[in-house]
Every structure is written in structure tokens, then in C-alpha cells.
């Protein structure tokens, strides 16, 4: 580890020496969206009313994709010119690799000659000794070449680009030069959601998984994570043009982290992140505990499985994620998708099947009766059987669906118990409270009267 740190430090000094007399921008912040990421580098400068300065930007490959600006609003860059960098160290390493590759090829050809040597009992020891020595030399050469290639890759990555900037200011100022360029770093959010039924609370731990695909190690850098996809459009499309929504903008998702909201966006701001090259790191960005009401949710139309659900209100927005791990009272439930959490609204988190609450549904009647020459009465009845085996009272919400009336048929609904709500799309909702070991049975259904041809 000490050798690696010394190597990175020497590389950084070497890159700095390439720009003697230049202003070198230092990596300051990584801004991550779901579809792309940017590296922001900065340096403080003293500027006259008019002039030019040379800057170096390590860690970038293309000037065309990089935006450079002066932070002071009274200054502007009038012209940019890329400078050619003569890096003797890179040239020396390339020549050394070329030389070692030639030597390696020679040794490999020499190794092939052993296949044509006539070996007998008198020279077998000598041939075997030379063969092993040659194998060791080839192996050593390959290792040296690989080490040099790693040095070359890191040095090229740190070298970046150099530019000459011409600027104008309304008065001499001290300000910052800032560059904004794409970087091959990806990130996504992962949640651990824990429910505690005895405390009536839930805990949401949010982690940021960062993957550094570059050959550059970043130390103590700041990361801004935006949960939405960065839209390249600057303004809305024309009014009459069709709109295709490829994504839903959910308001975002550390060492030291902070949730921030701007005028139109929100994001997580994470300081002091160490991101080694070609590695993945996991940092916690938030850990929140909220009061929650636990109840049973039963979708009787799709499945009669009783699901445990927690309802709560959050003080910040959290984006949806396909990477969620669910625990209830210390027990691992499974992995699944986490829906977005909306600040200030009632949110729901499901914690799988509740095996302590039993539900059964069966159709007990499905009859047809002709009530006139051209009318038929169709009666359909179902029955629910509920049982609470918890040691505490449990509220249960049962959701089912019934057909709707039309011009051709008239429908009347019935239920043994009052439903809480009957929605326009035909959903019926009951809400019941069962004490420990209490059972509840009730039936519901509809009577459909429709005309038939005589």
C-alpha cells in the first residue's frame, strides 16, 4: 500500500512538472447522474483586466467535451487554444516496453528450439536446466512489461491536457478556474429497509455504489449524486409535438453526506470519498428512522396473500431503485424493487407475506335466474375468512374488484360489512380491525340483471 501511494504521488509530481509555470487544475468534484458522470476540476487564480494564462487539466482525454469557465461573473474567456504536451517519461516507457517485447519474442523463439533438440540420457539434465531458466526469464519479462504498461496507463491518465486561455475582466480579481468534463464513473443507489413492528418504526439506510472505470485514483473527492437521468434538452419541445417519456424524474438520492435541494432539483452531496482506480466502493449516504403504522394489505382480486405493509411520512425525497434488501424484526425477507419515497406524503413499504395472518377466499354462489321473458338475474357471491394470530391488534385492508353497470346491464352490490370506499373503476375496499386470535367471516358480491334475446 505504501509503495502504491508513493507511486501515485510520484506520478502526480511528474504530471505537475510537465506544466512548469502553468496553473494546474485539481480534481474537486464528481457529479453523477443515472446516464452519465462529470469530473469538475478547479484552481484559484489572480486575474488582471485582460490577459492570458496556461492551464493544465489532468484526467481528461478530449478538450472538445470539456467546458472551462471563470467563476467570477465579471470575467469571461475570449479564446482557448490547446497546447501540445511533450512527455519524455511516456516516450521512455513506450521505448522500454518495445525493447522488452523484442527480447521476449527472442526468448520465446529460443524456447521453441527445444522442441527440435534430441534429448538423451547424457544431456537431459543440462537441457532441463536451460529450459527451466528460459521459462523463468520469459515469465520475468512478461511481469516487467505488465508493470510498465500499468505505469504508462496511469501516467497517461494523469497527464490530461494543457490549454492557453485568453480572458477579459471588468477589474482585477481573484477567482477560480473550473473545468467540467465527462468521466467514466458510474453510480447507483442501494437500500436496506428494516421494519420494527414492536417499536412501530422503520429504518431506511441508503447506500451509494460507485464504480471507477478509469485508471485514475481519486482521494478525498466530493461526489454529487443525482437520482434522475440528465436530460440534454435545454427547453421544452414545441407544444404540438408528441412527447415520449423515457423515464420518470424522481427527486434524489457517504464518508460525510448531506441531502440538498436547489430551486428545481435535489441531490446527495458526499464529501471525503476515496475512489481507487478500477475499483468499486460502497458508502452510506443517509440513515433515517420514521414512525410507521403496520397493517395487513390483501389484494383479493389478484391474490389473497396477506402482505405486511408499513405506512409512514418522510422528510426527504428518495428515488426508486431495483436494489433493495428488506428486513422485518431482524429477519431477512428478500431483495426487490424500492418505490420512490415522496417527501411529506404517505408512503408504503411492503415487507412480504405475513404468515401470522390467515386469509381465505372462496366463491359460494354463481347462479342464473330468468325473472321475465327477456331478463336474467345473475347472482355472484364470495366469502372471506380472516384470522389474526398475532399477539396484538391488526388492522387489515382488503381490496377487491366488482363489475360496473352499463346500458345493457344493471348491477347491485351487497356486503355483510360496510366497505370503506367504492372507487369509480370498480374497486371495493374494506378496513377491519382484528384482535389477537379473532376470526372474521363475511360475504359480498353483486346481482346483475341484463336483457336477453327472446
Amino acid at each position: 500500500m505504501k509503495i502504491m501511494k508513493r507511486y501515485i504521488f510520484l506520478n502526480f509530481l511528474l504530471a505537475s512538472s510537465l506544466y512548469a509555470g502553468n496553473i494546474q487544475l485539481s480534481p474537486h468534484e464528481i457529479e453523477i447522474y443515472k446516464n452519465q458522470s462529470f469530473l469538475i476540476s478547479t484552481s484559484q487564480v489572480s486575474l488582471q483586466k485582460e490577459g492570458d494564462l496556461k492551464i493544465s487539466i489532468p484526467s481528461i482525454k478530449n478538450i472538445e467535451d470539456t467546458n472551462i469557465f471563470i467563476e467570477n461573473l465579471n470575467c469571461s474567456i475570449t479564446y482557448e487554444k490547446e497546447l501540445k504536451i511533450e512527455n519524455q517519461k511516456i516516450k521512455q516507457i513506450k521505448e522500454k516496453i518495445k525493447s522488452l517485447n523484442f527480447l521476449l519474442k527472442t526468448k520465446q523463439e529460443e524456447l521453441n528450439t527445444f522442441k527440435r533438440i534430441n534429448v538423451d540420457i547424457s544431456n537431459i539434465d543440462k537441457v532441463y536446466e536451460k529450459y527451466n531458466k528460459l521459462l523463468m526469464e520469459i515469465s520475468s519479462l512478461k511481469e516487467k512489461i505488465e508493470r510498465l504498461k500499468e505505469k504508462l496507463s496511469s501516467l497517461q491518465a494523469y497527464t490530461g491536457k494543457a490549454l492557453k486561455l485568453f480572458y477579459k475582466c471588468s477589474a482585477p480579481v481573484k477567482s477560480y478556474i473550473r473545468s467540467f468534463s465527462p468521466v467514466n464513473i458510474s453510480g447507483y443507489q442501494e437500500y436496506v429497509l428494516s421494519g420494527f413492528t414492536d417499536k412501530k418504526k422503520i429504518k431506511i439506510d441508503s447506500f451509494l455504489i460507485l464504480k471507477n472505470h478509469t485508471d485514475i485514483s481519486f482521494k478525498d473527492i466530493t461526489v454529487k449524486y443525482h437520482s434522475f437521468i440528465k436530460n440534454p434538452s435545454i427547453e421544452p419541445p414545441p407544444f404540438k409535438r408528441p412527447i415520449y417519456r423515457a423515464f420518470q424524474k424522481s427527486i434524489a438520492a457517504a464518508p460525510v453526506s448531506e441531502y440538498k435541494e436547489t430551486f428545481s432539483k435535489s441531490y446527495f452531496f458526499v464529501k471525503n470519498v476515496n475512489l481507487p482506480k478500477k475499483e468499486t466502493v460502497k458508502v452510506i449516504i443517509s440513515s433515517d428512522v420514521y414512525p410507521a403504522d403496520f397493517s395487513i394489505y390483501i389484494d383479493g382480486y389478484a391474490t389473497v396473500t396477506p402482505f405486511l405493509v408499513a405506512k409512514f411520512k418522510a422528510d426527504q425525497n428518495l428515488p426508486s431503485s431495483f436494489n433493495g434488501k428488506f428486513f422485518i424484526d431482524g429477519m431477512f425477507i428478500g431483495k426487490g424493487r424500492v418505490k420512490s419515497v415522496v417527501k411529506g406524503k404517505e408512503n408504503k413499504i411492503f415487507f412480504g407475506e405475513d404468515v401470522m395472518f390467515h386469509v381465505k377466499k372462496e366463491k359460494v354462489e354463481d347462479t342464473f335466474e330468468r325473472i321475465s321473458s327477456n331478463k336474467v338475474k345473475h347472482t355472484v357471491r364470495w366469502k372471506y375468512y380472516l384470522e389474526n394470530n398475532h399477539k396484538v391488534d391488526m388492522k387489515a385492508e382488503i381490496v377487491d374488484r366488482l363489475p360496473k353497470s352499463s346500458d345493457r346491464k344493471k348491477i347491485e352490490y351487497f356486503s355483510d360489512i360496510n366497505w370503506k370506499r367504492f372507487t369509480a373503476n370498480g374497486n371495493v375496499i374494506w378496513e377491519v380491525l382484528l384482535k389477537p386470535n379473532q376470526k372474521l367471516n363475511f360475504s359480498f358480491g353483486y346481482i346483475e340483471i341484463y336483457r336477453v334475446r327472446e
Side-chain angles (χ1 to χ4, degrees):
M1 182 60 71
K2 288 183 178 180
I3 295 174
M4 179 59 69
K5 286 182 177 178
R6 181 174 178 270
Y7 167 63
I8 292 173
F9 180 68
L10 288 175
N11 267 340
F12 188 78
L13 288 180
L14 180 59
S16 300
S17 67
L18 296 173
Y19 312 111
N22 290 3
I23 296 168
Q24 176 154 332
L25 275 61
S26 301
H28 171 71
E29 189 175 286
I30 297 170
E31 201 159 331
I32 298 177
Y33 299 84
K34 282 190 175 181
N35 59 333
Q36 57 185 318
S37 300
F38 299 93
L39 175 64
I40 299 171
S41 300
T42 63
S43 179
Q44 191 173 31
V45 291
S46 295
L47 302 174
Q48 303 302 314
K49 289 187 68 173
E50 187 174 348
D52 63 79
L53 67 159
K54 295 178 182 178
I55 67 167
S56 62
I57 312 175
S59 314
I60 69 166
K61 293 183 178 180
N62 299 313
I63 291 296
E64 295 81 4
D65 297 329
T66 302
N67 295 296
I68 304 164
F69 54 91
I70 301 170
E71 286 193 353
N72 192 294
L73 297 178
N74 297 313
C75 296
S76 60
I77 296 172
T78 58
Y79 181 70
E80 298 176 9
K81 180 182 177 181
E82 184 176 355
L83 302 174
K84 183 175 285 189
I85 300 173
E86 293 293 337
N87 191 332
Q88 292 300 318
K89 183 62 177 178
I90 289 179
K91 186 177 179 181
Q92 291 172 6
I93 293 176
K94 286 182 176 179
E95 289 175 352
K96 183 66 174 176
I97 292 173
K98 185 178 179 181
S99 174
L100 290 177
N101 274 326
F102 179 78
L103 182 58
L104 176 63
K105 184 178 179 181
T106 302
K107 296 291 183 181
Q108 288 173 332
E109 289 174 353
E110 187 179 345
L111 183 67
N112 290 333
T113 61
F114 276 90
K115 297 177 182 178
R116 300 188 291 272
I117 294 178
N118 294 322
V119 181
D120 55 39
I121 194 70
S122 62
N123 66 355
I124 188 171
D125 289 340
K126 193 172 184 179
V127 171
Y128 182 71
E129 182 181 348
K130 287 184 177 180
Y131 181 80
N132 280 340
K133 183 180 179 182
L134 197 54
L135 284 177
M136 291 177 66
E137 289 175 347
I138 290 173
S139 177
S140 177
L141 282 170
K142 287 181 177 179
E143 288 179 3
K144 288 179 180 178
I145 291 170
E146 285 304 311
R147 285 198 297 268
L148 284 171
K149 285 182 177 179
E150 287 182 9
K151 288 182 180 180
L152 179 63
S153 178
S154 294
L155 186 56
Q156 287 174 329
Y158 273 92
T159 299
K161 298 289 182 180
L163 294 95
K164 188 173 185 179
L165 303 180
F166 296 83
Y167 66 87
K168 284 186 177 180
C169 298
S170 59
V173 296
K174 280 190 176 182
S175 186
Y176 282 88
I177 296 285
R178 183 180 295 266
S179 69
F180 192 83
S181 56
V183 66
N184 194 9
I185 294 174
S186 58
Y188 65 90
Q189 257 183 300
E190 180 181 274
Y191 293 102
V192 175
L193 303 106
S194 304
F196 303 92
T197 57
D198 56 338
K199 298 180 176 67
K200 293 187 177 182
K201 292 182 179 180
I202 62 163
K203 184 180 181 183
I204 303 177
D205 292 320
S206 179
F207 298 89
L208 183 57
I209 313 300
L210 298 170
K211 172 65 176 178
N212 184 0
H213 305 275
T214 74
D215 289 309
I216 306 162
S217 295
F218 298 96
K219 185 177 181 182
D220 295 332
I221 199 163
T222 296
V223 175
K224 274 186 183 178
Y225 177 71
H226 305 263
S227 66
F228 52 87
I229 294 174
K230 183 167 177 57
N231 190 337
S233 300
I234 303 300
E235 63 181 13
F239 180 71
K240 292 185 178 180
R241 194 169 115 191
I243 298 174
Y244 302 95
R245 302 188 187 278
F247 62 91
Q248 180 181 358
K249 283 189 180 180
S250 55
I251 308 298
V256 180
S257 70
E258 186 178 351
Y259 173 79
K260 290 197 172 186
E261 292 185 5
T262 65
F263 184 76
S264 62
K265 299 284 188 295
S266 59
Y267 57 88
F268 280 99
F269 185 80
V270 191
K271 294 181 179 179
N272 305 325
V273 176
N274 293 325
L275 196 53
K277 65 178 183 178
K278 301 294 185 184
E279 288 191 19
T280 300
V281 299
K282 180 178 180 179
V283 292
I284 187 165
I285 55 177
S286 65
S287 183
D288 301 289
V289 178
Y290 299 108
D293 291 325
F294 289 90
S295 59
I296 305 297
Y297 181 89
I298 303 161
D299 185 348
Y301 186 77
T303 171
V304 292
T305 303
F307 287 95
L308 182 65
V309 61
K311 297 179 182 179
F312 67 100
K313 287 187 178 181
D315 58 1
Q316 65 182 11
N317 297 294
L318 295 173
S320 62
S321 173
F322 287 96
N323 304 281
K325 298 176 182 177
F326 296 81
F327 294 81
I328 190 70
D329 296 328
M331 182 186 302
F332 178 64
I333 301 299
K335 298 179 181 180
R337 179 176 180 268
V338 180
K339 294 182 179 179
S340 59
V341 173
V342 182
K343 176 181 176 180
K345 302 290 185 180
E346 184 179 79
N347 298 276
K348 293 180 181 179
I349 293 179
F350 288 90
F351 288 95
E353 181 182 3
D354 189 326
V355 297
M356 301 299 290
F357 198 98
H358 296 167
V359 182
K360 180 183 175 183
K361 177 188 175 184
E362 63 178 1
K363 184 181 282 188
V364 293
E365 183 180 357
D366 192 351
T367 59
F368 294 86
E369 178 185 355
R370 199 172 188 107
I371 57 176
S372 70
S373 59
N374 64 346
K375 287 185 179 181
V376 171
K377 177 183 178 182
H378 180 205
T379 304
V380 180
R381 185 190 304 269
W382 290 275
K383 192 169 186 178
Y384 272 108
Y385 303 86
L386 310 178
E387 183 178 356
N388 177 25
N389 290 318
H390 285 279
K391 295 181 180 179
V392 295
D393 295 354
M394 290 300 297
K395 184 188 294 181
E397 184 179 59
I398 307 104
V399 180
D400 217 306
R401 187 175 299 175
L402 292 171
K404 294 185 290 183
S405 295
S406 66
D407 294 338
R408 182 175 170 270
K409 57 187 178 182
K410 182 181 179 182
I411 298 178
E412 295 180 2
Y413 309 101
F414 59 86
S415 173
D416 290 348
I417 61 174
N418 295 328
W419 42 61
K420 180 182 178 182
R421 193 163 64 251
F422 198 118
T423 65
N425 61 358
N427 283 354
V428 289
I429 302 168
W430 297 271
E431 191 172 271
V432 298
L433 181 67
L434 271 65
K435 296 185 177 298
N437 301 315
Q438 182 182 353
K439 296 180 181 180
L440 174 65
N441 306 330
F442 71 92
S443 63
F444 76 103
Y446 63 92
I447 298 172
E448 178 183 37
I449 298 176
Y450 58 91
R451 294 180 179 274
V452 294
R453 292 179 181 177
E454 297 182 11

